[in-house]
Amino acid sequence: MRLIALEYHDVLAGDDFAASGFTEPGADSYKLSAASFEAHLDAVAACAARTGLAVGQALRSAADGHAGRPAVVLTFDDGGCSAISEIAPRLESRGWHGLFFMTTGRIGTPGFLSGAELRELHGRGHVIGSHSHSHPIRMSACPADSLRAEWADSIGLLSDVLGSAVAIASVPGGYFSRTVAETAARAGIRTLFTSEPSSRATQVDGCTVLGRYTLRRDDPASLAAALVDRSSRARVRQWSVWNAKKVLKRLGGTAYLRARARLLDAG
């Protein structure tokens, strides 16, 4: 069954970007206002009702079948505290659950979820997964030994916090490689989300690798609906832009990141 995954980060009740999650211009560009997020959810729900999509039941939607129709899952990276204060209640009001990926080195630090909050989300039916331990900026550039430690440390800590095995994760920073997936599989991760805009699943050493479609602060609700619509035009458009940037990232290395940071600071 085809799975369409939307990638979000934080949702803010006010205008304090430091209230939840990482605090730099790049991270701020992914933080939606509560009103905007509500509009996104309404748009996705309307599209789902029209097209028969299964939405928001975490990864179990894909396994349940739903008469062969595509499933939509809502994923949230970093582990900012807005997961429990702003996001989860809005999902639950619709009978939906989300996938929350925690940067485990940030558990209990200002702006991030505590261990108790992670357990609460897990108990309320949401899926909790790893977003690495330290959130490397360019994960695909890390040596294999560092990648193994990132995944193993994160999965081990998160499993201890939740009291149950964790076997799902997402890649931070948008930098993916086969080695990232191989080391994830070696750490026991069986489902790995990237930020590559794709609804196709691939297998790497027993780990299912799935892409996601990213939503940012300035993206309208209509884009969220278009990304889950039966028509693939919005998904193809995001895939095309992503792959153009992918070439620039590979050729530019850290220079690309510096240029991006300057643009975001200027904005």
Side-chain angles (χ1 to χ4, degrees):
M1 176 180 187
R2 188 161 59 90
L3 184 74
I4 299 171
L6 300 184
E7 177 187 346
Y8 290 96
H9 290 70
D10 288 286
V11 174
L12 303 177
D15 57 5
D16 180 7
F17 287 115
S20 181
F22 291 103
T23 56
E24 78 275 349
D28 292 347
S29 70
Y30 292 93
K31 297 180 180 183
L32 277 67
S33 70
S36 178
F37 185 59
E38 285 276 11
H40 277 228
L41 296 183
D42 288 344
V44 170
C47 183
R50 185 177 71 252
T51 60
L53 293 170
V55 184
Q57 296 303 318
L59 204 57
R60 288 180 288 276
S61 289
D64 288 344
H66 298 286
R69 293 190 294 269
V72 177
V73 295
L74 306 177
T75 74
F76 303 88
D77 281 359
D78 294 345
C81 59
S82 68
I84 198 163
S85 62
E86 303 298 329
I87 298 170
R90 290 177 166 84
L91 298 181
E92 291 163 5
S93 71
R94 293 166 169 78
W96 299 352
H97 294 92
L99 281 70
F100 294 94
F101 295 110
M102 183 72 211
T103 306
T104 52
R106 296 295 184 124
I107 293 175
T109 64
F112 289 86
L113 293 165
S114 68
E117 289 169 331
L118 287 165
R119 287 189 292 274
E120 181 179 338
L121 285 172
H122 180 66
R124 284 158 60 174
H126 302 281
V127 172
I128 307 298
S130 164
H131 195 50
S132 80
H133 185 66
S134 69
H135 200 286
I137 296 174
R138 296 174 64 217
M139 195 149 185
S140 61
C142 293
D145 286 349
S146 296
L147 290 174
R148 282 192 288 270
E150 283 287 340
W151 291 130
D153 291 351
S154 181
I155 289 294
L157 179 56
L158 206 51
S159 297
D160 287 344
V161 166
L162 298 178
S164 61
V166 172
I168 187 168
S170 70
V171 180
Y175 284 83
F176 173 75
S177 68
R178 184 176 178 88
T179 305
V180 170
E182 289 172 344
T183 52
R186 196 168 302 175
I189 294 168
R190 293 294 167 258
T191 305
L192 180 66
F193 283 91
T194 72
S195 296
E196 305 232 1
S198 174
S199 58
R200 297 180 182 275
T202 59
Q203 295 289 323
V204 176
D205 293 349
C207 177
T208 300
V209 179
L210 297 156
R212 294 181 292 176
Y213 298 90
T214 303
L215 281 306
R216 293 176 173 81
R217 184 175 73 215
D218 295 329
D219 288 333
S222 58
L223 177 59
L227 287 170
V228 303
D229 194 73
R230 287 189 186 279
S231 168
S232 63
R233 282 178 293 180
R235 296 192 295 276
V236 169
R237 192 157 49 244
Q238 192 170 114
W239 180 88
S240 299
V241 172
W242 169 270
N243 279 279
K245 287 183 178 179
K246 190 175 181 179
V247 174
L248 292 175
K249 287 180 178 181
R250 185 171 62 248
L251 295 176
T254 56
Y256 171 87
L257 293 174
R258 289 194 298 271
R260 180 174 182 269
R262 285 196 296 270
L263 287 172
L264 290 167
D265 285 335

